[in-house]
């Protein structure tokens, strides 16, 4: 499946944040120009061939890159993984321990029947969904949401972020992302007595949906609205012809410093079934000799 970060909409979103995009072998390459060079990232690269990496090399030299970071879309267990690792090594890329995107995720097959999707939920998740129904939780869907709806959503995100001490995007960034995706951006609300208690952001590309952001209030957790909301999203996306929902990240023992803090919401996501997959790790190539020397001296730079 094509990843969110390799879509025209994501390229447009990053452009609004000051990134330049170029395309080689159907892969978007994102460049951040700095006063002293540039940073280049390639998130969820679909193919890793010598031709592609040669093109990346030319772009890196064109923009005087300090380094290039690649996060392959290739699944760790895939037969293509070994060949990809070989090519990356031949082109001077080294394994990197600081992923920018989730190194593991859960994907739910939406082509299954509603009964089969329900069957995949854990016993606890089924109980939570039924409990939320008894609490009279209702769901609202906002496709291509306008600024006022985004603002309501942002308040819940900020509240949850401050309570649980995690990073959340600014309202300006949130609006830019929604604007870039247009009709492919959806905000779902769970409400009780007209009060928003849980929110989810879903971005879509072709036949796939990506569960990119969520937040729940204390009332939302008490009423299990977050379970009910995700279940209703699964139903809605399946009914609208999407093939897959990517829950966009679960904790991964390969990267404990990066993902251990995700244990709580990873536990939640795994209750909805689906297939858990792990991608190849990130890889980095230095183009700046000083950074390369520092990397060798320190073992690895946090880039």
């Amino acid at each position: 499946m094509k990843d969110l970060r390799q879509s025209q909409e994501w390229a447009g979103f990053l452009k609004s944040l000051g990134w330049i995009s170029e395309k080689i072998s159907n892969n978007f390459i994102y460049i951040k120009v700095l006063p002293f060079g540039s940073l280049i990232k390639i998130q969820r690269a679909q193919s890793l061939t010598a031709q592609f990496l040669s093109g990346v090399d030319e772009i890196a030299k064109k923009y005087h890159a300090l380094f290039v970071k690649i996060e392959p879309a290739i699944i760790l267990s895939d037969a293509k993984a070994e060949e990809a690792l070989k090519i990356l090594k031949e082109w001077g890329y080294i394994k990197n321990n600081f992923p920018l995107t989730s190194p593991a995720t859960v994907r739910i097959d939406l082509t299954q029947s509603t009964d089969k999707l329900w069957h995949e939920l854990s016993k606890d998740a089924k109980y939570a969904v039924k409990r939320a129904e008894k609490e009279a939780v209702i769901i609202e869907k906002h496709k291509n949401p306008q600024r006022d709806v985004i603002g309501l959503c942002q308040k819940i995100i900020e509240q949850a972020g401050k309570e649980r001490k995690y990073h959340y995007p600014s309202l300006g960034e949130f609006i830019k992302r929604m604007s870039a995706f247009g009709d492919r951006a959806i905000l779902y609300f769970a409400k009780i007595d007209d009060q928003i208690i849980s929110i989810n952001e879903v971005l879509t590309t072709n036949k796939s949906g990506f569960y990119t952001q969520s937040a729940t209030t204390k009332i939302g957790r008490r009423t299990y609205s977050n379970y009910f909301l995700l279940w209703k999203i699964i139903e809605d996306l399946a009914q609208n012809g999407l093939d897959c929902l990517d829950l966009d990240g679960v904790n991964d023992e390969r990267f404990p410093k990066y993902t251990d803090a995700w244990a709580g919401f990873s536990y939640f996501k795994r209750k909805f079934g689906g297939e858990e997959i792990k991608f190849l790790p990130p890889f980095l190539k230095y183009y700046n000799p000083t950074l390369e020397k520092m990397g060798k001296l320190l073992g690895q730079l946090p880039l």
Side-chain angles (χ1 to χ4, degrees), residues 19-143:
W19 291 77
I20 297 169
S21 67
E22 299 222 13
K23 204 169 187 181
I24 298 177
S25 302
N26 209 33
N27 288 290
F28 278 105
I29 298 166
Y30 301 114
I31 306 111
K32 186 72 169 182
V33 176
L34 305 170
F36 44 84
S38 72
L39 313 176
I40 296 179
K41 63 180 180 180
I42 309 168
Q43 297 173 300
R44 295 288 187 262
Q46 303 292 311
S47 61
L48 292 173
T49 64
Q51 180 182 4
F52 169 65
L53 293 177
S54 175
V56 172
D57 192 54
E58 290 179 11
I59 288 176
K61 292 173 181 175
K62 172 183 173 182
Y63 288 97
H64 307 288
L66 302 176
F67 62 85
V68 172
K69 188 165 191 172
I70 296 179
E71 294 179 286
I74 298 169
I75 297 170
L76 193 61
S77 58
D78 195 303
K80 299 176 183 178
E82 187 174 344
E83 181 63 22
L85 292 172
K86 180 182 176 183
I87 292 174
L88 285 164
K89 184 177 180 180
E90 288 174 353
W91 280 85
Y93 286 85
I94 58 174
K95 181 183 173 184
N96 179 264
N97 291 324
F98 300 92
L100 299 175
T101 55
S102 307
T105 192
V106 171
R107 288 177 176 169
I108 297 173
D109 179 4
L110 299 178
T111 64
Q112 302 174 94
S113 68
T114 302
D115 287 345
K116 183 67 183 299
L117 288 167
W118 176 256
H119 180 73
E120 287 203 3
L121 269 64
S122 71
K123 182 179 178 180
D124 290 347
K126 289 175 183 174
Y127 168 81
V129 171
K130 293 175 181 178
R131 173 68 182 276
E133 288 180 318
K134 291 180 180 179
E135 295 282 352
V137 175
I138 63 170
I139 305 301
E140 284 187 2
K141 176 182 177 181
H142 299 269
K143 193 173 184 179

